[in-house]
Amino acid sequence: MPVTECLRDRSSAPVTQHADTENVCRLLAHVPLLEGLEPPELARFARGVREQNVDKGTVLFHRGDPCHGFHLVLCGQIKLAFTSAEGQEKVIEIMRPGQSFGEAVMFMEKPYFVMAQALTDSRLLHIAKNVVFEEMDRDPTFCRRIIAGLSQRLHHLIADVETYSLLSGRERIVGYLLREEESSGEPGLCGRVSIRLPTSKGTIASRLNLTQEHFSRILHELAEAGLIVVEGRTIHIPDVERLRTTGARY
């Protein structure tokens, strides 16, 4: 069951320090690092779980704060970013439901090197590092699963560096729009689809290592070419295959 479906009957629940063990175990089963664990194993993690409801704009942690565990996003969006002394921001990642963050810093036992802020009203689980470390001591298979998960994160990071280094701004934006279209899971009529940008254009531009002005200019160029239609944060794609095959060349 998707994480978002797990929350449908809990959307009006009050903030609790420790959620019900059965519900927590059901949600923990969606954590990538915990997939495949049996209910008794998940129950050991549940005692180290804290449920969090946060409002839009809430900072979960700042760079330099101590790390006491990692987070799982149940609903909403969380931005991970660097902020310079001058206030300039570079978005590293936008975390969505079902994704977790903070594991690498937790294992290094170092302070956070990014900040995390809620882009929307969000619900999360915080899994304490002591229960993770105890399970690692108990189960070598779990250790291998963690190594595989962190290796996958490293692979994604390398892919990001490759994208920023080798692809033009237009190629990055076209690729982003196509990924959003694929993740929406809603087939369009005769190749036409509409996608809703999950957050502001400025945040997406930073995630793609572009200025907001550059991002907006490319959207305008794609619109002039008839490849997209922009209505605020909604992007209509008249022909997905045409955008895929010719969009980066305009």
Side-chain angles (χ1 to χ4, degrees):
M1 178 186 297
V3 172
T4 49
E5 290 186 15
C6 291
L7 287 171
R8 283 177 183 168
D9 60 348
R10 296 171 53 82
S11 58
S12 60
V15 178
T16 56
Q17 188 69 17
H18 293 284
D20 174 78
T21 299
E22 182 179 348
N23 285 325
V24 168
C25 288
R26 189 153 50 97
L27 296 170
L28 287 176
H30 296 279
V31 180
L33 290 181
L34 307 184
E35 286 179 352
L37 294 185
E38 298 297 325
E41 297 171 306
L42 291 173
R44 291 199 291 265
F45 281 94
R47 59 188 172 83
V49 168
R50 178 165 51 90
E51 186 177 356
Q52 296 176 300
N53 283 346
V54 296
D55 296 330
K56 177 182 178 179
T58 299
V59 175
L60 294 170
F61 52 78
H62 293 276
R63 180 173 183 168
D65 286 349
C67 176
H68 302 294
F70 71 99
H71 292 82
L72 167 68
V73 182
L74 300 179
C75 61
Q77 298 174 27
I78 305 296
K79 171 181 67 179
L80 306 182
F82 295 112
T83 303
S84 70
E86 294 76 25
Q88 294 181 320
E89 184 177 88
K90 172 65 181 78
V91 177
I92 304 302
E93 189 59 273
I94 299 173
M95 312 307 297
R96 304 190 189 187
Q99 294 183 306
S100 58
F101 59 95
E103 298 95 327
V105 178
M106 176 185 72
F107 291 125
M108 294 168 64
E109 299 197 74
K110 291 183 178 292
Y112 289 110
F113 55 88
V114 297
M115 59 86 76
Q117 184 179 32
L119 293 174
T120 64
D121 293 346
S122 303
R123 185 188 293 269
L124 307 96
L125 293 182
H126 180 268
I127 298 92
K129 67 180 181 181
N130 63 295
V131 297
V132 179
F133 291 170
E134 288 172 7
E135 192 64 25
M136 290 175 67
D137 291 339
R138 181 182 294 110
D139 185 0
T141 301
F142 179 63
C143 293
R144 290 195 293 271
R145 184 180 294 114
I146 286 176
I147 293 172
L150 293 178
S151 298
Q152 187 177 44
R153 295 282 178 88
L154 178 60
H155 175 77
H156 289 162
L157 178 60
I158 292 172
D160 274 351
V161 173
E162 180 182 28
T163 295
Y164 301 151
S165 302
L166 302 180
L167 299 185
S168 68
R170 184 172 288 103
E171 288 172 322
R172 289 177 231 168
I173 291 176
V174 169
Y176 175 82
L177 293 175
L178 292 172
R179 287 193 297 274
E180 286 296 305
E181 182 273 327
E182 290 172 359
S183 65
S184 70
E186 298 179 1
L189 182 63
C190 297
R192 178 183 176 88
V193 297
S194 296
I195 59 176
R196 175 77 175 170
L197 297 180
T199 186
S200 70
K201 294 175 183 175
T203 298
I204 295 171
S206 180
R207 175 67 184 88
L208 297 176
N209 206 31
L210 300 169
T211 65
Q212 186 169 351
E213 293 75 17
H214 193 186
F215 183 84
S216 296
R217 184 168 66 252
I218 292 173
L219 287 183
H220 180 71
E221 291 171 355
L222 292 172
E224 283 194 328
L227 294 170
I228 63 172
V229 177
V230 181
E231 293 182 353
R233 279 173 53 180
T234 299
I235 308 292
H236 304 285
I237 306 175
D239 188 328
V240 173
E241 192 57 33
R242 181 169 176 245
L243 178 66
R244 189 189 315 278
T245 57
T246 66
R249 297 203 297 269
Y250 276 87

